[in-house]
Amino acid sequence: MPGQTALPTSHTGPLPKKSFTPTRSSTKISPDPMRQRLLPTPEPARVKVVIAGGGIGGLALAIMFEAAKNIDYVVLERSSTHKTLGSTIGLNARPMRMLEQLGLLADIKKISKPIGGFNLQNEDRSPIGHIDFTFGEREYGYGGCVMSRPALFELLLSRVPEDKVLLSKQVSNVIETSAEVRVICADGSEYGCDILVGSDGAYSAVREIMYKKLSTQGRLPASDSKPMEMTHVCVLGVSEPMDPVKYPRLMDTNSNFEMTLFRDKPLSVLLSPISDNRISWCYGGEVDPNAPKTEAWNWGHHTDLKSILPEIKNLATEYGPSVGAVIESTSRDMVLPFAGQGCIHAMLDGISLTNLLASLKSTSPEVIEQLLKTHVKSRHDSGRNAVIGSRLFGRFIESKGFIARWIRRICFMLIPHWLVVKMFNRVMRDRPTLSFLPPVKERGVSVSWSN
């Protein structure tokens, strides 16, 4: 008997009195592994989300929410039609595992062209340097690719149910209560939710409403109270399909970016061939944020491309046509915004948020608040590093003067390729996936450390 001393079998007298104190060993019950496997897994809580903004970031998030079974969502788009402007978008390996999980990878390959490298040259076409990007497939299992922004937009839109994207829904106010968030649109319609996601661009109405409330409460950081500075300006577009017989470089398997720097102007021209024998182009550069706004933007408000870009019209390129030939072939939908890494990081933000919501146990304000703190903590450093890296690379490329030219030449000539790969690995090994979907096969030499 547990807790008692065994007696010899020959003993016939009464049992000696002994005190009995239960011990851990006498009360511990080992869990039954089979029983544990049979117990039902608690279902995640259902959560309501409103996505303000039906651009590429908002649509990508909607597709992730669609894959999760516990997220009820709606996309509020302020435009009256499904349309996006812009030239091209480049994707690197970081969101590719998620896109493969969602069944989007094959379609993205159809509308894109692999990125081969980056060529930097002077306006007289004398070379400055070259960066080879073809190692991505070997290192990470996915190479970088470039595609037209409208093509990616149409692909993502086709994967979101029509009734989930509502047009002409300009967010005009947001009211928070202990029970829910009420999103009020300019047309008077209202939508209740547990979480509101502002995916409505650089001039976000959601952020503006939030900042006003934080300012009234005295909680808005001083850095966020400053007006947005305009440090870069550019005009960009995509040509119509061009004759590959006349311009054979268009038939190259890879898209090699070509950037031309001007010696005496803080401007550059970037060309990148994309699918369907078209060429994406971008002309712009850094401007003084303290200069009058009209001085920085005056050349960007015209509608005649040939008249606003006379200094680059006859600039030669390695693809055969002059820059002027590319511009003249451009449709009238030229735009001014400058595209950076926003698309990639919007997708990475979406992966983090969706994973947290897919395992949410409660929609209480305390749990939601903790979830958002976890999300910010997981994404803050990556986003911050992307901004800093982009800024430093821009200064490295566009700085003028004798010293800047020699620094670029020395870096391109002396930095070995293995060191370039190692620097990229520090970022590209973070390739997260949606934790609630079947994992994809790991590819590449540099194994992902995410999920």
Side-chain angles (χ1 to χ4, degrees):
M1 181 177 293
Q4 294 185 343
T5 304
L7 299 175
T9 55
S10 59
H11 182 77
T12 57
L15 291 174
K17 295 183 179 180
K18 287 183 175 284
S19 62
F20 173 70
T21 303
T23 63
R24 289 184 180 271
S25 60
S26 65
T27 59
K28 183 177 179 181
I29 300 176
S30 300
D32 183 353
M34 181 63 70
R35 178 179 174 83
Q36 285 187 329
R37 285 196 295 267
L38 295 176
L39 290 175
T41 303
E43 291 290 328
R46 296 209 67 82
V47 57
K48 295 181 180 179
V49 182
V50 168
I51 303 172
I56 288 177
L59 293 176
L61 182 60
I63 296 172
M64 297 183 219
F65 284 174
E66 191 70 25
K69 303 305 181 184
N70 66 314
I71 304 176
D72 299 321
Y73 71 93
V74 66
V75 180
L76 304 181
E77 169 54 41
R78 61 188 173 192
S79 300
S80 59
T81 59
H82 291 300
K83 184 178 182 181
T84 187
L85 298 177
S87 58
T88 57
I89 281 182
L91 295 179
N92 58 30
R94 297 187 69 185
M96 290 298 188
R97 297 174 72 205
M98 175 273 295
L99 294 172
E100 184 174 357
Q101 283 183 301
L102 295 174
L104 289 165
L105 185 61
D107 288 327
I108 284 179
K109 288 183 176 181
K110 291 178 183 177
I111 64 173
S112 66
K113 199 165 187 175
I115 297 175
F118 178 82
N119 297 316
L120 191 64
Q121 65 184 23
N122 295 306
E123 56 188 300
D124 61 0
R125 293 201 64 197
S126 58
I128 298 174
H130 172 78
I131 302 176
D132 178 20
F133 290 142
T134 58
F135 60 84
E137 191 83 28
R138 179 189 71 253
E139 290 290 326
Y140 320 121
Y142 309 89
C145 60
V146 61
M147 68 211 78
S148 77
R149 185 183 181 92
L152 178 59
F153 175 83
E154 292 294 336
L155 172 60
L156 297 179
L157 182 62
S158 69
R159 299 300 182 91
V160 181
E162 290 185 14
D163 61 334
K164 294 294 185 70
V165 182
L166 308 182
L167 299 176
S168 299
K169 297 294 181 180
Q170 170 69 51
V171 176
S172 60
N173 197 10
V174 177
I175 300 175
E176 295 182 63
T177 69
S178 59
E180 65 174 359
V181 177
R182 297 296 298 175
V183 182
I184 303 172
C185 297
D187 62 2
S189 58
E190 297 185 10
Y191 301 87
C193 61
D194 299 301
I195 294 178
L196 168 62
V197 178
S199 185
D200 47 348
Y203 301 97
S204 167
V206 172
R207 182 168 57 245
E208 183 178 354
I209 293 169
M210 181 178 68
Y211 278 19
K212 284 181 179 179
K213 292 184 177 182
L214 289 175
S215 179
T216 302
Q217 299 167 3
R219 298 167 54 199
L220 184 65
S223 59
D224 289 326
S225 63
K226 297 178 181 179
M228 184 182 296
E229 288 188 344
M230 184 184 63
T231 58
H232 287 77
V233 63
C234 69
V235 59
L236 45 83
V238 178
S239 76
E240 296 294 338
M242 307 184 76
D243 186 358
V245 176
K246 188 176 181 180
Y247 308 120
R249 289 298 307 276
L250 293 172
M251 294 186 289
D252 290 353
T253 301
N254 295 331
S255 176
N256 289 290
F257 292 3
E258 176 190 285
M259 175 173 278
T260 301
L261 303 183
F262 295 91
R263 179 178 293 271
D264 302 318
K265 290 180 290 189
L267 301 170
S268 61
V269 177
L270 177 65
L271 300 178
S272 55
I274 59 175
S275 59
D276 299 328
N277 298 322
R278 293 173 296 163
I279 296 179
S280 165
W281 60 273
C282 173
Y283 174 52
E286 192 171 358
V287 297
D288 182 0
N290 299 315
K293 189 172 181 180
T294 53
E295 291 183 10
W297 284 87
N298 59 359
W299 57 270
H301 283 171
H302 296 280
T303 57
D304 183 356
L305 290 172
K306 290 179 286 186
S307 68
I308 67 173
L309 308 175
E311 59 265 44
I312 67 170
K313 182 179 178 181
N314 297 317
L315 193 67
T317 82
E318 68 169 304
Y319 293 104
S322 65
V323 173
V326 176
I327 294 173
E328 289 174 5
S329 174
T330 300
S331 68
R332 59 183 178 85
D333 293 328
M334 71 157 186
V335 294
L336 285 166
F338 190 81
Q341 300 187 67
C343 174
I344 294 172
H345 281 271
M347 292 182 179
L348 298 177
D349 287 344
I351 296 172
S352 170
L353 180 61
T354 306
N355 281 338
L356 291 170
L357 291 178
S359 59
L360 190 67
K361 302 304 181 185
S362 168
T363 57
S364 68
E366 297 77 15
V367 173
I368 294 291
E369 182 179 358
Q370 185 57 49
L371 177 145
L372 295 177
K373 287 181 179 179
T374 302
H375 170 63
V376 170
K377 183 177 180 180
S378 69
R379 291 291 304 138
H380 176 271
D381 289 347
S382 178
R384 181 176 181 273
N385 292 338
V387 172
I388 294 174
S390 179
R391 185 179 301 156
L392 292 176
F393 183 74
R395 290 177 180 173
F396 168 73
I397 293 296
E398 296 181 352
S399 295
K400 303 300 175 184
F402 176 81
I403 295 178
R405 289 195 296 270
W406 270 102
I407 289 177
R408 283 192 290 267
R409 185 175 294 275
I410 290 173
C411 287
F412 278 113
M413 291 177 60
L414 298 183
I415 294 182
H417 181 66
W418 65 265
L419 184 56
V420 173
V421 174
K422 188 172 183 178
M423 290 189 293
F424 270 83
N425 283 352
R426 294 182 61 184
V427 177
M428 295 300 173
R429 290 189 67 183
D430 180 20
R431 305 190 294 277
T433 59
L434 295 169
S435 58
F436 53 90
L437 292 181
V440 296
K441 180 181 179 181
E442 183 66 73
R443 304 187 184 92
V445 177
S446 300
V447 178
S448 172
W449 59 49
S450 304
N451 295 357

